[in-house]
């Protein structure tokens, strides 16, 4: 059923994209990426070889000009797990609809929280085995949200996400995620990006996060500081958790078609990890890459280790 639905979605998106060329008020983009690695994983003192998908996805996004000052926009995106033995391998990602104008942008649906969005591109191993979500809380995509983002003023903008208590992810609690951001997260329009964000009872946690990343010539350096505290259990019961502190440092250096990467992350009473890797760009949409990651958990005798070689293509 899901495969049939997604095939219909893709066919409809392609047909709409064709028709949109005749209507200047509407635009639609079908997009996606495939990221697949051959990996050697040593986890809990057990080794395994995998050919795994890393958040590969298929989506459609677009906008429609309602008037000279108002625009409707939308995104429908699914994760495609190429390594799943089931044929029904689509999983929901961001799916929302909204309005945009001089007032900013407002959207409703399934979406990343503002705290998650505020990290920018600091995670050099995003979606891989060393993704920062393994040690840090706050990387949440909530299924019932309303999000408002202000216009940009002198490089600054502020956003807030409301997560409804009816969402299963919310453990029967209302939650809010707020972020203030400066600069371009992709570091193309500005040489520095910085943000500070706060989650209140989002997926059972209170989180404070500060992020900064800068670019000098071909070198990108980034740092993140985080405090997190559990507030509610999955059953909706209040939890008087202790506040834990963590940090992350990342670096990437570009030499022609090669990008060399390194990252270190630590979370109090949970563990730490470090990773090194590199990308080789074959063309604008395609790259080869390799990485090695080691993660150590508090109280565990053996570290988890991951070595992977992969190929990514965006379209």
């Amino acid at each position: 059923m899901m495969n049939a639905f997604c095939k219909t979605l893709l066919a409809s998106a392609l047909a709409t994209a064709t028709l949109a060329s005749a209507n200047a008020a509407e635009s639609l983009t079908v997009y996606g990426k495939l990221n697949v690695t051959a990996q050697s994983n040593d986890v809990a003192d057990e080794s395994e070889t995998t050919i795994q998908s890393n958040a590969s996805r298929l989506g459609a996004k677009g906008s429609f000009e309602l008037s000279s000052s108002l625009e409707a926009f939308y995104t429908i995106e699914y994760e495609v797990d190429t390594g799943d033995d089931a044929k029904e391998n689509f999983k929901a990602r961001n799916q929302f609809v909204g309005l945009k104008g001089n007032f900013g942008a407002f959207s409703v649906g399934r979406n990343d929280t503002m705290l998650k969005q505020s990290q920018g591109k600091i995670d050099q191993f995003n979606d891989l085995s060393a993704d920062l979500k393994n040690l840090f809380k706050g990387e949440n995509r909530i299924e019932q949200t309303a999000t408002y983002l202000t216009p940009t003023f002198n490089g600054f903008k502020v956003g807030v996400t409301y997560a409804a208590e009816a969402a299963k992810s919310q453990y029967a609690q209302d939650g809010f995620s707020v972020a203030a951001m400066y600069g371009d997260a992709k570091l193309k329009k500005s040489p520095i990006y910085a943000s500070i964000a706060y989650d209140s009872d989002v997926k059972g946690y209170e989180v404070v996060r500060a992020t900064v990343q800068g670019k000098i010539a071909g070198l990108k350096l980034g740092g993140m500081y985080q405090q997190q505290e559990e507030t509610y259990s999955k059953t909706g019961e209040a939890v008087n958790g202790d506040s834990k502190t963590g940090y992350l440092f990342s670096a990437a250096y570009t030499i022609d078609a090669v990008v060399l990467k390194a990252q270190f992350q630590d979370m109090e009473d949970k563990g730490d990890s470090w990773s090194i890797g590199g990308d080789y760009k074959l063309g604008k949409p395609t790259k080869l890459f390799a990485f090695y990651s080691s993660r150590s958990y508090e109280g565990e005798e053996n570290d988890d280790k991951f070595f992977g070689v992969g190929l990514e293509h965006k379209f």
Side-chain angles (χ1 to χ4, degrees):
M1 180 66 71
M2 183 61 74
N3 275 347
F5 171 75
C6 289
K7 288 178 181 177
T8 301
L9 170 65
L10 179 58
S12 300
L14 290 172
T16 306
T18 301
L19 294 174
S21 62
N23 188 349
E26 183 171 9
S27 66
L28 182 142
T29 301
V30 177
Y31 67 93
K33 76 171 182 179
L34 287 167
N35 183 305
V36 181
T37 49
Q39 288 193 206
S40 174
N41 302 328
D42 188 350
V43 179
D45 207 26
E46 293 187 5
S47 298
E48 181 181 43
T49 301
T50 63
I51 306 294
Q52 67 186 56
S53 178
N54 305 297
S56 298
R57 66 200 64 170
L58 172 66
K61 61 182 179 180
S63 61
F64 186 86
E65 186 178 325
L66 299 170
S67 69
S68 60
S69 60
L70 188 63
E71 180 181 280
F73 64 93
Y74 58 89
T75 291
I76 302 176
E77 185 175 293
Y78 287 91
E79 179 178 343
V80 183
D81 189 349
T82 65
D84 197 324
D85 61 347
K87 293 182 180 179
E88 306 293 332
N89 63 346
F90 286 92
K91 302 176 183 177
R93 287 177 58 86
N94 288 336
Q95 300 167 348
F96 55 82
V97 62
L99 295 173
K100 183 188 300 182
N102 295 331
F103 59 87
F106 176 78
S107 61
V108 287
R110 181 190 303 270
N111 207 349
D112 293 340
T113 64
M114 286 309 308
L115 184 136
K116 181 180 180 182
Q117 294 183 48
S118 74
Q119 70 168 270
K121 302 295 182 180
I122 193 173
D123 188 356
Q124 295 295 339
F125 297 88
N126 183 48
D127 293 333
L128 300 177
S129 298
D131 190 303
L132 67 81
K133 68 182 179 183
N134 290 290
L135 295 179
F136 284 5
K137 296 295 182 179
E139 297 300 288
N140 297 315
R141 178 178 297 119
I142 307 298
E143 63 272 25
Q144 296 186 34
T145 66
T147 297
Y148 171 68
L149 190 64
T150 69
T152 300
F153 298 102
N154 297 321
F156 289 93
K157 59 183 175 180
V158 176
V160 58
T161 300
Y162 165 70
E165 63 178 322
K168 188 175 181 180
S169 302
Q170 279 302 107
Y171 311 152
Q173 304 297 322
D174 287 312
F176 292 90
S177 181
V178 183
M181 298 154 285
Y182 172 77
D184 175 22
K186 296 182 180 179
L187 299 178
K188 293 182 178 180
K189 298 179 181 179
S190 64
I192 191 169
Y193 171 78
S195 67
I196 185 165
Y198 172 68
D199 271 4
S200 175
D201 298 333
V202 177
K203 207 169 183 179
Y205 271 83
E206 181 178 279
V207 179
V208 177
R209 174 181 291 180
T211 304
V212 63
Q213 188 177 29
K215 181 178 180 181
I216 303 174
L219 178 64
K220 293 182 182 179
L221 296 174
M224 177 183 288
Y225 172 82
Q226 176 155 318
Q227 286 186 334
Q228 58 190 45
E229 178 180 337
E230 188 175 12
T231 54
Y232 287 93
S233 68
K234 292 182 179 181
T235 60
E237 297 178 356
V239 175
N240 188 19
D242 294 330
S243 179
K244 308 297 182 184
T245 300
Y247 56 88
L248 177 149
F249 298 107
S250 68
Y253 185 61
T254 301
I255 310 172
D256 297 325
V258 176
V259 181
L260 303 177
K261 301 178 177 181
Q263 188 160 291
F264 178 79
Q265 183 182 10
D266 180 87
M267 174 52 70
E268 180 184 358
D269 290 346
K270 188 166 185 179
D272 59 63
S273 70
W274 61 269
S275 302
I276 56 173
D279 300 344
Y280 179 72
K281 185 174 289 189
L282 298 171
K284 186 175 181 179
T286 310
K287 70 177 182 181
L288 290 168
F289 63 95
F291 69 91
Y292 177 83
S293 298
S294 177
R295 184 163 58 243
S296 174
Y297 287 111
E298 294 285 344
E300 297 292 334
E301 184 177 349
N302 298 308
D303 296 347
D304 294 344
K305 299 179 177 64
F306 308 89
F307 172 71
V309 178
L311 176 65
E312 178 182 275
H313 179 76
K314 296 180 179 180
F315 57 91

